[in-house]
Amino acid sequence: MVQRGSALNFRDFVESSLAVGDAVDIRRPVSPLLEVGAITRRVYETRSPAPLFSNPTGAEPGFRILGAPAGLSGLDEGAYGRLAAHFGLARDTTPRALLEKLISAMHADPVAPRVVETGPCKENVLTGDDVDLERFPVPLLHQQDGGRYFGTYGFHVVRSPDGRWTSWSVSRTMLHGRTTLVGPAMPQQHIGMIHAMWREKGLPTPWAMVLGAPPAALAAAGMPLPAEVNEDGYVGALAGSPVEVVRTELHDLYVPANSEIVLEGYLSPDETAPEGPMGEYHGYSFAGSKQQPVFHVEAITHRDDPILPVCVAGLPPEENHTIWGTMISAVSLDLLRSSGLPVDLAWCSYEAATCWIVVSIDIRRLAGSGLGERELADAVADVLFHSHTGWLVPKVLLVANDIDITDINQVVWAMATRYHPGTGEYSYPEAPGIPMVPYLTPEEVRTGRGGKSVMSCLLPEHFEGVSKGVTASFRHSFPAETRQRVVENWADYGF
């Protein structure tokens, strides 16, 4: 029996999105060379349904592409519908409810995957001379890109040489040849850590890449869980049942049986090739390529009529911000709560391109903590900037919990009216960080340190547990009965 449901079956996710109008089946011919990317970028920027390209030119008949798999939705059910469907939740799920679901699964017992003999990903098996990545509609996503990108919404599967740690992790791959890809494996990334273990033994790293994975598995692979934590057990806890996995053809790795496409081979211990440039998650494309490891593909398995999901990275929000940002938010919130700090919520504003996280502070608990502004900033920095999740996000904004931090308009208002220039910002030049942040100096990129800060948008009275001003808004400026009457009569007013 094939596992069903949008969390554990990508095909079910696509079909349910089509059924509710949050995806559109484009049957006319569309070129993977820039046209797919242009349509998908416009989808992000207009909150249109996800485009399913059913007739991409230059590919084998039946091969398809899905753009914007976790883009924000314009449907009345809510902006987060596609994201919620990744976890099997109702499409009107709120951001807070999403985070609580993710955190609850973090504290549940892992549910180990269930090994099955075969699955949909084995409907077609290609080895030897039949391996040809160019059979697929590999898109050129931006005109500045250094090549066509096969892996923009999939995850790598690697295992440590001693077999104790299997990592599922998200990182891009660019088409390099009929049987090769090239992409980053940074030392701070889990794939880079495991690659280093095999390289120290002088051996290639056995590797697989999963595309069109169960959506909950893709989300977990993008979650900054600690090293040596197996993401497959978290997926089971998140979905409420074990994810079914099947053995790959050659290297004794296990991948989700429902996957659309699985590539298998090895990561060369020393071979590199130019990769990029590419439009990036921070919203920029910088000229120049970098030498990155080469991935050799020895086998391909795929479903009939496979769907290749793509993320067209760039100006937010896209999947780097909706999926990655949400998973970072959940881990950050759990860390801050566990530290005992007076934190109500944490949220990577999608519009900030994963370059800041906003932390709302429970001001009543803050008053009881006895912490001053500098002490609070230092405590938050110590928790976040020395964790894997804080390595990814360079800036933290502190606001009082009268602000809905999932509403970017309220965050901007708080920054404009509550941040005090010259006294409300604290810098942490020795904190480690991801070298991809655009504003970093060459020295900060080289050392992997610096460019980190905590900005306080807390007013002096917040440290006493009170707010002097009342927010002048629909929610705060009118009695409940008046608000209810207005809402009930809204259409009768002529709106």
Side-chain angles (χ1 to χ4, degrees), residues 324-340:
W324 195 29
T326 300
M327 308 311 276
I328 290 171
S329 300
V331 175
S332 299
L333 178 56
D334 186 58
L335 286 170
L336 291 165
R337 281 179 175 173
S338 299
S339 72

Side-chain angles (χ1 to χ4, degrees), residues 27-64:
R27 295 185 177 273
R28 64 176 289 168
V30 174
S31 173
L33 303 181
L34 297 180
E35 190 176 7
V36 162
I39 292 170
T40 303
R41 277 307 318 176
R42 184 160 169 77
V43 162
Y44 292 131
E45 294 168 20
T46 58
R47 296 197 179 185
S48 298
L52 177 63
F53 302 100
S54 291
N55 192 12
T57 59
E60 292 198 4
F63 285 24
R64 296 173 286 173

Side-chain angles (χ1 to χ4, degrees), residues 104-316:
S104 175
M106 290 171 63
H107 290 275
D109 291 333
V111 178
R114 179 188 299 124
V115 178
V116 295
E117 287 296 317
T118 190
C121 74
K122 299 282 192 178
E123 289 171 347
N124 300 271
V125 178
L126 306 171
T127 57
D129 292 340
D130 292 330
V131 174
D132 184 0
L133 296 171
E134 295 183 354
R135 297 173 61 240
F136 295 88
V138 185
L140 179 65
L141 296 173
H142 317 83
Q143 64 180 342
Q144 299 87 1
D145 286 357
R148 294 186 286 157
Y149 276 84
F150 201 113
T152 58
Y153 202 66
F155 64 82
H156 299 284
V157 179
V158 291
R159 188 176 58 206
S160 60
D162 60 12
R164 291 189 303 108
W165 178 22
T166 297
S167 170
W168 293 1
S169 62
V170 174
S171 189
R172 71 195 191 205
T173 53
M174 189 181 84
L175 186 67
H176 181 251
R178 289 181 68 253
T179 62
T180 52
L181 301 164
V182 58
M186 289 186 283
Q188 303 92 340
Q189 295 176 302
H190 292 170
I191 184 175
M193 296 176 187
I194 291 178
H195 180 41
M197 296 177 189
W198 287 94
R199 190 171 56 241
E200 287 171 5
K201 294 179 174 291
L203 297 173
T205 304
W207 157 85
M209 189 168 199
V210 180
L211 299 131
L218 184 281
M223 195 170 196
L225 296 171
E228 302 194 21
V229 172
N230 292 349
E231 286 82 3
D232 52 16
Y234 176 76
V235 176
L238 182 60
S241 61
V243 60
E244 292 185 349
V245 297
V246 64
R247 187 183 181 277
T248 57
E249 295 298 303
L250 304 174
H251 292 297
D252 201 30
L253 297 170
Y254 287 83
V255 296
N258 274 337
S259 304
E260 295 284 321
I261 303 164
V262 176
L263 313 179
E264 185 190 3
Y266 63 91
L267 180 56
S268 173
D270 49 21
E271 183 183 0
T272 64
E275 185 265 337
M278 180 191 180
E280 299 274 11
Y281 74 91
H282 43 59
Y284 298 93
S285 180
F286 296 107
S289 60
K290 295 181 180 178
Q291 292 291 317
Q292 302 287 13
V294 174
F295 298 78
H296 290 264
V297 180
E298 301 173 293
I300 301 173
T301 69
H302 65 82
R303 293 187 72 155
D304 294 334
D305 302 326
I307 302 172
L308 174 67
V310 298
C311 164
V312 186
L315 197 68

Side-chain angles (χ1 to χ4, degrees), residues 342 344-345 358-363 376 397-405 410-411 414-415 418 455-459 462:
D344 175 59
L345 196 65
V358 189
V359 176
S360 68
I361 301 297
D362 184 329
I363 60 173
L376 177 64
L397 277 60
L398 305 178
V399 301
N401 61 332
D402 64 325
I403 298 295
D404 177 1
I405 62 174
Q410 293 191 39
V411 174
M415 289 180 65
R418 301 182 183 184
M455 178 186 291
S456 174
C457 299
L458 296 164
L459 297 171
H462 292 152

